[in-house]
Amino acid sequence: MRITRKAWLGFILVFVYGAFVGSTVFAGDGASPAKSINAKPVEASRGDTLTREDARMAYLVYNLLDENKKIKGANLKRGAELFYMNCRACHGDDGRRVNFTPMKSPTYLGTTALNDMPTFWYLMNFGDGGRGMLAYIDEISLEEMIDIAGFAQTLPP
Ligand code: HEC
């Protein structure tokens, strides 16, 4: 049997179409929906619209807080060591050297860590020049910050 040019063309068309359908159906790595939500846009692409502050705060909200607003996955022992090294000098052993609300009922580091982790996280990362708190985003790694934040939630409120 002779295969005509038309038949060849038909085979090729079917093959190309099949490859196209296959690639759209099986594209991706089977990532779970949760995974794709956390996927970051390519840096400096048009989808990359978050400021550094936005990205850090979103990371806290989407990846670190459990339903009780506790930090997930912190290594508390390492957090304690890092806290004593970096924060104790000003905030004291138990985070109670500085009272942030002297005019009202006292707020200490443990109070903020437990009741208002976003404020804690923001201040640790970006500081507050007006109040004399330093920014640590370029000094302490993200993993270490997670440990410090987790440990701070064990300080007396
Ligand atoms: C050089 C001193 C110094 C060091 C070191 C320091 N802080 Fe602070 N921190 C301050 C001062 C001063 C304030 C503002 C106090 C005020 O407003 O009364 C502050 C405020 C804060 C607040 C704000 C809390 C609130 O409720 O508003 C957080 C959170 C905080 N620091 C976390 C940390 C952590 C975590 C570390 C260690 C990684 C650290 N600080 C290290 C001086 C320091």
Side-chain angles (χ1 to χ4, degrees):
M1 188 185 85
R2 207 175 144 257
I3 301 174
T4 62
R5 261 178 74 171
K6 256 195 187 149
W8 273 119
L9 213 66
F11 282 139
I12 291 168
L13 274 177
V14 167
F15 177 80
V16 169
Y17 179 70
F20 171 72
V21 170
S23 67
T24 50
V25 170
F26 297 108
D29 55 359
S32 63
K35 241 180 166 176
S36 14
I37 287 170
N38 290 335
K40 280 196 233 153
V42 176
E43 226 176 292
S45 71
R46 293 189 67 184
D48 183 16
T49 56
L50 298 186
T51 63
R52 208 176 182 205
E53 280 89 348
D54 291 336
R56 257 304 149 102
M57 295 312 289
Y59 192 88
L60 169 74
V61 172
Y62 288 110
N63 298 304
L64 300 181
L65 292 181
D66 71 11
E67 63 279 7
N68 300 315
K69 307 242 170 13
K70 289 290 190 80
I71 293 282
K72 289 186 284 196
N75 177 336
L76 298 182
K77 193 169 160 283
R78 208 167 64 133
E81 288 164 12
L82 289 162
F83 179 85
Y84 294 141
M85 233 155 45
N86 295 290
C87 321
R88 169 165 58 180
C90 300
H91 289 284
D93 272 346
D94 58 358
R96 284 184 149 186
R97 183 171 290 160
V98 184
N99 172 7
F100 304 119
T101 50
M103 302 305 179
K104 297 186 245 158
S105 68
T107 311
Y108 302 110
L109 212 50
T111 327
T112 304
L114 272 178
N115 300 342
D116 186 6
M117 180 44 77
T119 292
F120 181 96
W121 188 250
Y122 186 91
L123 267 283
M124 173 166 62
N125 277 276
F126 301 105
D128 181 337
R131 292 169 59 193
M133 172 57 194
L134 313 162
Y136 282 94
I137 187 163
D138 294 320
E139 317 298 329
I140 297 180
S141 74
L142 177 60
E143 288 68 30
E144 291 175 333
M145 286 204 178
I146 295 169
D147 296 341
I148 294 174
F151 171 73
Q153 290 186 322
T154 69
L155 293 171

